[in-house]
Amino acid sequence: MFRATADQPDEHRPSAAHAGGACPTVRVWDPVVRLSHWALVAAVTVAAVTGLLADASWIDVHVGAGAAMAGLVAARVVWGFLGPGSARFTGFVMGPGAVLTHLRELRAGTAGRHLGHNPLGAAMVLALLAIAAGLAVTGLVALGGVLKAGPLAFATGFADGRAALAVHELLAYGLLALIALHVAGVVFESRRSRENLGRAMLTGRKPARPGDHVPAVRPARPVAAAALTLGILGIAAAAIGALTGRPALGVPTATPDPAYAEECAACHVAYHPSLLPRASWSALFDGLGDHFGEDAGLDPATTARLRAWVLANAAEAYDTKAANRLRAVEPAAPFSITETRFWRRTHADIPGTVFAGPAVVSKGNCEACHTDARAGRFYPGNIRIPSPAPTEARP
C-alpha cells in the first residue's frame, strides 16, 4: 500500500473528471470482484431465506444456493491470488497491527482514506469468505448425515450430521451478524469519506484524492485464474457426482416382503419398518388377534417371516432422521407415529384441514405428502402437501 503520487501506474491514473471537472475517478474494483460480490450477495440471500424462513420443502433451493456460494468463494479466492492489485489479497490484507492502528486513527479522527479496502474492510472480507466456506462444509456434512443426501451421505452418521447442523446454524447467524456490521461499516465509511461506497462497488470507480492509500498494482492473470477456477469446480463436480451415487450410511436397502405390503396395505398404509422400534413391532405382532379391534392374524409361517423382516429393519437398524427420532415412542401409544413428540412438532404448522382433505384423509397417511415414505427416507425435497379441504361457506 502506498500514497497516491503523480507517477501512479495506469491502473490507478485518474480518468475523465465528473461534470464540472472537480472530481476525477479511477478504477478500483474490476468486473470479476464486482460480479462475484453481488452474486455472493444474491446466493447468501437465497440461502438465508430458504434456510431460516421457508419450510423444509425448499431444501433443494437452499442446497443450490449453498453450492453457488461455495463456487463463488472458490472463484474469489483464486482471483485474490491471480487478479489485479486491488483484487489481490496482498494488495489490501494487512496484519492485526494495521487493523488496530486504523482503529486508533479512526477514533482520533486522523485515519487516511484508502482507495481500496481499508484494514477493517480487508479483515471483514476474509471473515466473510471464511464463514461462507465453513457454511458450505458444515452444510454438506449435515446434508449427508441428517438427510442422507449429497456426496458425504455414504460416510456420515446421523449424530455427526446433527453436530454439523448445529455448527452450520451458528455460522449462519454469525454470517448475518457480520453482514450487518459490514453494511454499518460501509455506511460509516461512506459518510466519513463523503462518497457512496455501495455505488462504487457497482461501477468499480472511486474519486481519486491526494493522499489516498493506493493498492500496489499487480498484473492480472485472467487466463490462469479461469483455468484454475474451472479446474477446481470441475474436480469438485466430478467428486460430488461420484460420491453421491454411493449408498448412504445407515440406510439398508431392504427388499420389502410382498406379503407385508399385501396384508398391511389392505387396511392402512404399509409403514416402513424403520418408523417404529423393535419393541413396538414385537408388541404389534403379539397382538395381531386383536389389532385395533380387528383380527389381523396370519398363518404361523407368514407371521414368523414378517416378524423377522420388520425386526431386522426396525428403527434401530436405520440411521435416518425419521428412524432416530421415531424410536422414542409415547409409552401410552407405542404403535402410533403421530403421537410422538417429533411428529407433532414437525407437523405443527400444517392446518388440520389438510389432514381432513380427500387427498390425505388421516394424519397417518404419510404417502399423501411424502413421495418417498415407502422407502422410509422422508427427504424434505420430496414433500408435496395437498390442498386443504374446502371450508363450508357460512350463510
Side-chain angles (χ1 to χ4, degrees), residues 145-147 158-163 165-166 169 274-277 314-316 318-330 336-347 376-378:
V146 177
L147 300 181
F158 179 78
D160 293 334
R162 284 290 299 171
L165 181 59
E169 291 173 350
S274 66
L275 303 185
L276 281 178
E316 292 88 345
Y318 276 69
D319 194 41
T320 60
K321 180 179 181 179
N324 275 276
R325 294 304 186 215
L326 293 175
R327 289 173 196 165
V329 296
E330 289 297 314
S336 180
I337 296 170
T338 59
E339 291 299 320
T340 61
R341 295 180 183 179
F342 169 71
W343 191 97
R344 286 182 290 173
R345 183 177 67 252
T346 54
H347 295 78
R377 300 300 292 269
F378 294 93

Side-chain angles (χ1 to χ4, degrees), residues 29-103:
W29 291 303
D30 63 90
V32 174
V33 169
R34 287 178 282 139
L35 285 173
S36 63
H37 174 272
W38 293 111
L40 194 56
V41 169
V44 168
T45 300
V46 173
V49 170
T50 54
L52 299 175
L53 301 178
D55 59 50
S57 63
W58 287 83
I59 183 64
D60 289 333
V61 178
H62 181 73
V63 171
M69 185 175 68
L72 288 166
V73 169
R76 182 62 184 92
V77 169
V78 169
W79 196 240
F81 289 101
L82 298 176
S86 57
R88 290 200 184 193
F89 297 134
T90 55
F92 63 87
V93 174
M94 289 170 278
V99 175
L100 292 175
T101 298
H102 184 69
L103 283 171

